[in-house]
Amino acid sequence: LQQTLLMGGALLVGTWRERGEAAAPASVWLGRLLALCLIGWLSGLYYFGWIFVWHDFPRGGNPLGALALLAVFVPAVVGLSALLGWWLANRARAMQVVLFTSIPLALVGGFSWPAEALPTLLQWLRWLSPSTAGIQASLRLNQAGAPLQAALWYLSVLLALALCSWLAV
C-alpha cells in the first residue's frame, strides 16, 4: 500500500512541479492531499478488509484497530509522497527514487529482517518511513488481534509523520 501510494503521489506532485502548477494556496493543497488520502483509504479497506476475507488470510480480528491504523498511515504516506514529489520536482526522478527504495524500505521495516540486526544509524532512520510503524502496528492489530493500546506508540509515530509532512508541504 505504501509504495503504490508513494509512487502515485510523488509522480503527481512532480508533474505539478514540472508544469509550474504546484504553487497553490493552502486550501488547494489540503484538497489535493485529501483526494490522495481517499484513494489510499479505499485501497487500504480493500487490502485489510476484502482481501483478507476473500483469500482467508490468517488475521487476529481487530477491525477497528485496522481502521485506526489506516486513518493515520495513509496521511503519513501521502505527506511523504508530496514532499518527495516537491523536492525531486520531476516525475521520472520521483519514480526512480521510489522504485530504488522499495526493497530497502521493506527490509528496514522489521517485517522480513530483524531490526536489531540493522546498523544503529538505520535503526533510527527507518522510523522516517511510514511503513516501519505501519508494519509493526499491522502485525499487532491485524495478525495478533491485539487491542489498540498495544499499537498506540506506532500510531503516534504515524500521526507525527503525517503532521510534520503536511505542515512542510
Side-chain angles (χ1 to χ4, degrees):
L1 182 60
Q2 173 176 305
Q3 291 308 102
T4 306
L5 194 54
L6 194 62
M7 190 178 305
L11 285 169
L12 188 58
V13 175
T15 301
W16 290 336
R17 287 271 302 196
E18 284 179 359
R19 295 181 182 169
E21 300 169 355
S27 61
V28 172
W29 269 103
L30 180 62
R32 289 173 173 177
L33 294 174
L34 287 174
L36 287 170
C37 281
L38 181 62
I39 294 168
W41 286 322
L42 291 174
S43 298
L45 289 173
Y46 177 71
Y47 290 141
F48 289 152
W50 177 244
I51 289 294
F52 278 17
V53 173
W54 186 32
H55 289 289
D56 197 29
F57 286 142
R59 54 199 177 278
N62 188 345
L64 294 177
L67 288 175
L69 170 59
L70 278 177
V72 292
F73 177 72
V74 168
V77 175
V78 165
L80 180 60
S81 73
L83 285 177
L84 276 175
W86 184 270
W87 179 58
L88 297 170
N90 181 299
R91 64 178 174 255
R93 199 171 306 129
M95 173 77 94
Q96 292 167 343
V97 167
V98 172
L99 285 176
F100 178 74
T101 59
S102 293
I103 300 297
L105 284 176
L107 290 174
V108 300
F111 175 69
S112 58
W113 185 269
E116 296 79 19
L118 295 170
T120 306
L121 180 62
L122 283 180
Q123 287 185 28
W124 286 97
L125 288 176
R126 72 191 191 108
W127 293 103
L128 295 175
S129 170
S131 65
T132 299
I135 288 170
Q136 297 305 317
S138 180
L139 288 173
R140 284 161 180 74
L141 298 170
N142 290 330
Q143 301 302 310
L148 192 59
Q149 293 80 9
L152 276 181
W153 189 83
Y154 302 109
L155 299 178
S156 299
V157 168
L158 290 168
L159 183 61
L161 287 172
L163 289 174
C164 289
S165 60
W166 282 49
L167 291 173
V169 175

